[in-house]
Amino acid sequence: MAIDTLDLAILVAIIAAVVAYFTRGKLWDKNEEDVSATGGSGSRDLMQTLKETGKKALVLFGSQTGTAEDYAHKFAKEFQARFGIPTMCGDLADYDYDSLDKIVADVSGFRLVVFFNATYGEGEPTDNAIDFFDYLDNECEDLSGLKFACFGLGNSTYEFYNAAGKKVADILKSKNAELVGELGLGDDGRGTMDEDYLSWKDSLFEVIKGALSLDEKEAEYEASIEVTEVANLTKDSPTVSLGEPDAKYVSLQGEAGPFDHTHPFLAPVLKTKDLSPNRHCIHAELDLSGSNMKYLTGDHLAIWPSNPDSKVSKMLSALGLQDRKDAVIKIKLLDPTVHSMIPSPTTYGAVIRHYLEISGPVSRQFIGSIVQFAPDEETKQRAKEIAEDKVLFQKRIIDQGFNIADALLALSNGSEWSTVPFAFIIESIPHIQPRYYSISSSALSDRNTVHVTVMVEANEVAGTDRLTTGVASNLLFDIELAQNKIADIEPFENYNLEGPRGKFHNYRLPVHVRRSTFKLPSNPNTPIIMVGPGTGVAPFRGFIREKVRQVENGEKSTGEIVLFYGCRKSTEDFLYKEEWPEYSKKLGDRFKFITAFSREADKKVYVQHKMLEHKKELADLLDKGAFFYVCGDASKMARDVQKALIKVVAQEKKVPEDDAAEMVKQLKIQNRYQEDVW
Ligand code: FAD
């Protein structure tokens, strides 16, 4: 049977679509003329990769928000620079571990494996470390001869503090691997992560000199990437990335999925509203139609932000690049094991606006490493002194609320740091990460739209007239003011809302959905108790909208629903104030909405006080099999709520608090006590 031209065209299109689906755009990503890919050796075989690349040390990270990844990269670079050992840094998800036990014997001169493991949720490993933990639990055998070090990243306000890092160390030791130095435990809860890392790293380096018989030298920057200006391209050349959130957006005209944590969907922002004009809390509704991206009630939405104009401009000035912001640069990977998420060719301005985390606090390590490029001797001495003295660093940099550009300009008395190689900037500054938000809509009632509830972060720096501002939340605030044409309120930050090549025109944001385990009971008849002060109410609005829709759909057997909500004042920051009575009308007696306004009485009243006032009711619901949910602030509220629940159980069941604590622990084990805290 002959194939006519139309058939042939359709056949070619089908083959192209199949190839596109299975390669997920990797083929065109590799095209250098288009937009370069992320690098990496490509093999999942750890030993083969080490042998092929000649690496003698390995740094692996399990990272959720990018912090562990950032520390791992910094460590690998410094380790290599100080001890002259070729070191590879990799994502735990990118390799198989069945050859871990053979590395020492088969890779000549192999020295050390260093793990950086963040703990996520309730003591769980990060998403990219799940397979590695499965290997540890089920497949890992004798690791005699392997030397390893480990730094865990956790938060001491959580019950399972640094569980992932501790587990890695315990299992590897039990398999006869040798832990070099102490297990490092970084604590976000006390805000000491950076200092915890520095003191662990410094003491490990001391131990390493003896344990691995290594000589140390003055660390000098060794570039893993090369940045060169490209004279024959301009920012208008079609292959130049201007900060499109993924290389695919440069090479493709339309949007093509699948959309996930490597490739976001540009979701139209349909509607925004400031729920608290005093404190600014933005409700935003985004349209997921056409993305094929589905969410479940209780999931998280990741928003990929870009930096605001003022911060971009200051950073360019600090580096002496203001006049060259549109110059086109090419980024070449010099080391096959290095990945870069920045598409190339691109511009200096695009890198700074879209890829680097320039807005947050600067680290002491960063100042220490940039000293070598100081523009003059005086600046060098000043920077060195501050980098070596943590008290001085705290006073002169952290207490001032300085970001990187502020700190550099303060250290140089306003002189440009045009002496810093841009490759160093790309390699040393953490890459901007998506921000997560608990979805405040219901997948049942708001099918194609996803809602978020975002508190705008703008905090005064004590003793100054300056503010520190959050990147993503202020982007939403800027969108809200522009979309609603509010001219009499100034945003804290202005953004390029049009986005690269106008891709964000008419208010679009790059987003992806992240699955969470925070879920309603599968039986709608099961009672639920929810505690969500402030923006912690977000997922519970989703839960309640779901319940309302179930009732509207004829569901008769909805169990009791109790929501404890708290804020400062009923007139100030009462989120979704007009909606709750509407939900009450629909749900009737089944729904109880209990409020705690902390600043309306002489004595501060919080949700946990209200829980104790309603202790009998809570204990009865738990007896009936109720699920208990907490969402919001992890540092204090979540612990206070847990303590309050233990008191409720102790008093109502007339048992000692230790027994009540054990009963609450059992609820967690049965998944009837769920937390979504940050
Ligand atoms: P960032 O840029 O990340 O800054 C963080 C903080 O640092 C800000 O307070 C900022 O003012 C401060 N800062 C900036 N520069 C400096 C400096 N130089 N020195 C010192 N401090 C500085 N939030 C919600 O509002 N609603 C939710 O529903 C919600 N759900 C979440 C769910 C999950 C699973 C997680 C992990 C987090 C959730 N969050 C939620 C928190 C949210 O993800 C963001 O952390 C928050 O919006 C701040 O992001 P940002 O980009 O605005 O601030």
Side-chain angles (χ1 to χ4, degrees):
M1 192 175 65
I3 301 178
D4 69 18
T5 323
L6 183 63
D7 289 340
L8 191 65
I10 292 170
L11 194 64
V12 169
I14 291 171
I15 292 170
V18 171
V19 170
Y21 179 78
F22 285 107
T23 61
R24 304 219 149 92
K26 287 191 181 88
L27 291 185
W28 52 75
D29 272 359
K30 294 275 179 201
N31 182 347
E32 251 230 286
E33 277 310 300
D34 251 358
V35 174
S36 77
T38 56
S41 74
S43 168
R44 289 193 62 79
D45 186 324
L46 207 46
M47 194 142 72
Q48 186 191 338
T49 308
L50 290 169
K51 278 180 168 176
E52 280 175 9
T53 55
K55 303 290 184 185
K56 308 290 183 212
L58 183 59
V59 179
L60 293 164
F61 57 84
S63 186
Q64 194 70 32
T65 58
T67 312
E69 178 176 354
D70 179 41
Y71 281 116
H73 282 298
K74 280 189 216 162
F75 182 91
K77 275 203 95 61
E78 192 175 345
F79 184 74
Q80 173 161 321
R82 282 212 187 182
F83 298 109
I85 294 176
T87 304
M88 169 179 134
C89 183
D91 185 323
L92 276 168
D94 287 348
Y95 299 96
D96 298 326
Y97 294 93
D98 34 11
S99 58
L100 194 59
D101 55 335
K102 301 187 193 75
I103 284 177
V104 180
D106 287 15
V107 178
S108 76
F110 187 80
R111 303 296 190 138
L112 185 69
V113 188
V114 186
F115 294 94
F116 284 79
N117 280 95
T119 298
Y120 194 61
E122 306 210 2
E124 290 138 31
T126 54
D127 290 350
N128 72 327
I130 288 174
D131 287 349
F132 175 64
F133 275 73
D134 191 41
Y135 157 82
L136 290 181
D137 283 333
N138 301 311
E139 291 166 43
C140 174
E141 287 175 3
D142 186 47
L143 294 173
S144 300
L146 189 77
K147 292 189 161 101
F148 78 101
C150 183
F151 184 75
L153 296 91
N155 184 320
S156 59
T157 62
Y158 285 67
E159 187 176 344
F160 302 99
Y161 172 54
N162 252 317
K166 289 176 188 168
K167 182 168 176 177
V168 170
D170 285 348
I171 295 190
L172 294 184
K173 279 194 290 183
S174 76
K175 304 289 177 188
N176 304 319
E178 182 190 336
L179 176 65
V180 180
E182 300 279 318
L183 165 66
L185 296 178
D187 187 0
D188 210 21
R190 286 185 300 132
T192 54
M193 184 68 78
D194 222 44
E195 290 305 331
D196 296 336
Y197 165 72
L198 288 178
S199 60
W200 167 79
K201 186 238 343 164
D202 288 343
S203 69
L204 179 67
F205 282 175
E206 281 307 309
V207 175
I208 278 175
K209 282 188 256 176
L212 305 183
S213 316
L214 294 175
D215 293 330
E216 191 182 1
K217 55 185 175 110
E218 186 71 26
E220 269 182 25
Y221 170 62
E222 292 171 18
S224 310
I225 59 171
E226 183 184 84
V227 176
T228 43
E229 288 193 10
V230 188
N232 61 345
L233 292 174
T234 73
K235 72 177 178 44
D236 299 321
S237 307
T239 54
V240 173
S241 162
L242 298 182
E244 286 83 350
D246 178 13
K248 287 179 200 168
Y249 284 108
V250 186
S251 44
L252 292 181
Q253 285 308 309
E255 287 180 60
F259 300 103
D260 57 20
H261 65 288
T262 62
H263 180 51
F265 175 62
L266 301 185
V269 181
L270 299 176
K271 193 174 151 189
T272 43
K273 185 180 174 190
D274 193 345
L275 300 171
S276 164
N278 286 319
R279 298 187 62 201
H280 303 302
C281 180
I282 308 302
H283 168 81
E285 300 185 6
L286 296 101
D287 187 2
L288 299 183
S289 325
S291 69
N292 219 4
M293 217 165 29
K294 299 267 176 276
Y295 73 96
L296 300 172
T297 308
D299 282 345
H300 300 137
L301 187 76
I303 295 183
W304 299 38
S306 307
N307 288 308
D309 297 344
S310 67
K311 302 269 163 54
V312 172
S313 167
K314 194 160 197 183
M315 188 71 193
L316 286 165
S317 301
L319 298 175
L321 288 171
Q322 193 62 276
D323 295 341
R324 304 212 48 73
K325 69 178 185 341
D326 292 330
V328 174
I329 52 172
K330 196 162 189 163
I331 302 167
K332 188 173 154 201
L333 306 177
L334 301 175
D335 179 334
T337 64
V338 165
H339 293 247
S340 167
M341 295 311 291
I342 305 178
S344 166
T346 182
T347 65
Y348 291 116
V351 172
I352 286 178
R353 183 180 292 276
H354 297 284
Y355 295 102
L356 301 183
E357 194 75 72
I358 56 171
S359 189
V362 57
S363 73
R364 192 155 68 85
Q365 161 129 356
F366 178 82
I367 300 294
S369 61
I370 205 169
V371 160
Q372 58 190 306
F373 303 114
D376 53 67
E377 200 47 44
E378 210 180 302
T379 304
K380 191 175 209 162
Q381 286 317 318
R382 210 175 293 129
K384 204 160 180 272
E385 189 190 0
I386 281 184
E388 285 169 1
D389 182 337
K390 71 176 178 190
V391 178
L392 200 60
F393 176 77
Q394 178 72 33
K395 191 167 146 211
R396 299 260 184 86
I397 306 287
I398 296 295
D399 292 352
Q400 304 304 315
F402 282 168
N403 58 36
I404 293 173
D406 297 331
L408 293 182
L409 291 169
L411 289 168
S412 65
N413 283 334
S415 296
E416 290 171 352
W417 287 63
S418 45
T419 35
V420 185
F422 201 64
F424 173 88
I425 293 295
I426 292 180
E427 287 198 81
S428 310
I429 298 181
H431 290 192
I432 217 163
Q433 297 290 328
R435 272 44 172 191
Y436 291 98
Y437 294 96
S438 303
I439 292 176
S440 56
S441 50
S442 146
L444 191 64
S445 70
D446 311 286
R447 269 170 203 280
N448 284 325
T449 56
V450 63
H451 304 180
V452 285
T453 312
V454 178
M455 189 56 83
V456 177
E457 293 290 331
N459 303 308
E460 282 170 18
V461 180
T464 74
D465 56 0
R466 277 179 289 113
L467 290 175
T468 59
T469 52
V471 179
S473 55
N474 279 284
L475 169 60
L476 279 153
F477 186 30
D478 197 21
I479 290 178
E480 189 272 328
L481 294 174
Q483 189 171 44
N484 298 317
K485 302 193 173 32
I486 298 172
D488 56 340
I489 300 177
E490 278 290 306
F492 296 115
E493 298 285 358
N494 287 289
Y495 292 77
N496 171 14
L497 298 182
E498 286 292 304
R501 293 195 171 88
K503 283 207 184 293
F504 302 169
H505 177 66
N506 226 353
Y507 314 113
R508 279 171 163 248
L509 281 176
V511 302
H512 73 267
V513 170
R514 182 177 185 277
R515 289 272 169 269
S516 104
T517 52
F518 199 71
K519 291 285 169 290
L520 278 166
S522 50
N523 179 354
N525 210 12
T526 305
I528 55 172
I529 304 162
M530 299 168 282
V531 186
T535 46
V537 81
F540 303 137
R541 176 178 180 267
F543 282 9
I544 287 176
R545 288 171 78 81
E546 180 116 338
K547 290 276 180 190
V548 167
R549 178 48 63 96
Q550 285 171 353
V551 169
E552 285 169 350
N553 287 350
E555 179 68 64
K556 295 208 170 50
S557 57
T558 291
E560 290 97 324
I561 305 160
V562 180
L563 170 59
F564 290 92
Y565 171 71
C567 64
R568 289 184 186 172
K569 288 187 176 175
S570 55
T571 49
E572 213 175 76
D573 52 350
F574 192 168
L575 305 183
Y576 301 109
K577 188 175 181 179
E578 303 80 34
E579 290 188 16
W580 306 113
E582 293 297 316
Y583 300 141
S584 277
K585 253 191 247 164
K586 302 243 169 79
L587 293 168
D589 293 346
R590 284 172 281 212
F591 177 38
K592 200 161 216 177
F593 184 60
I594 299 163
T595 49
F597 300 114
S598 61
R599 301 205 180 162
E600 285 192 353
D602 294 343
K603 211 167 151 252
K604 287 194 172 155
V605 182
Y606 294 116
V607 280
Q608 56 272 26
H609 301 125
K610 290 286 171 179
M611 285 170 63
L612 284 163
E613 272 177 32
H614 292 265
K615 59 186 178 185
K616 168 138 185 26
E617 198 175 337
L618 292 190
D620 288 350
L621 288 175
L622 289 174
D623 278 346
K624 284 207 244 166
F627 275 42
F628 186 85
Y629 299 89
V630 190
C631 179
D633 169 48
S635 62
K636 194 156 184 319
M637 183 277 296
R639 261 191 311 169
D640 290 345
V641 165
Q642 178 166 330
K643 280 189 206 150
L645 190 67
I646 291 171
K647 276 207 175 95
V648 166
V649 173
Q651 290 173 16
E652 286 300 301
K653 297 276 167 210
K654 307 207 174 355
V655 293
E657 285 208 0
D658 282 354
D659 293 359
E662 185 52 37
M663 288 156 95
V664 168
K665 197 170 162 192
Q666 286 304 318
L667 288 178
K668 288 194 175 181
I669 291 167
Q670 295 159 19
N671 211 24
R672 282 177 54 203
Y673 186 126
Q674 298 184 19
E675 287 184 320
D676 181 19
V677 292
W678 59 83

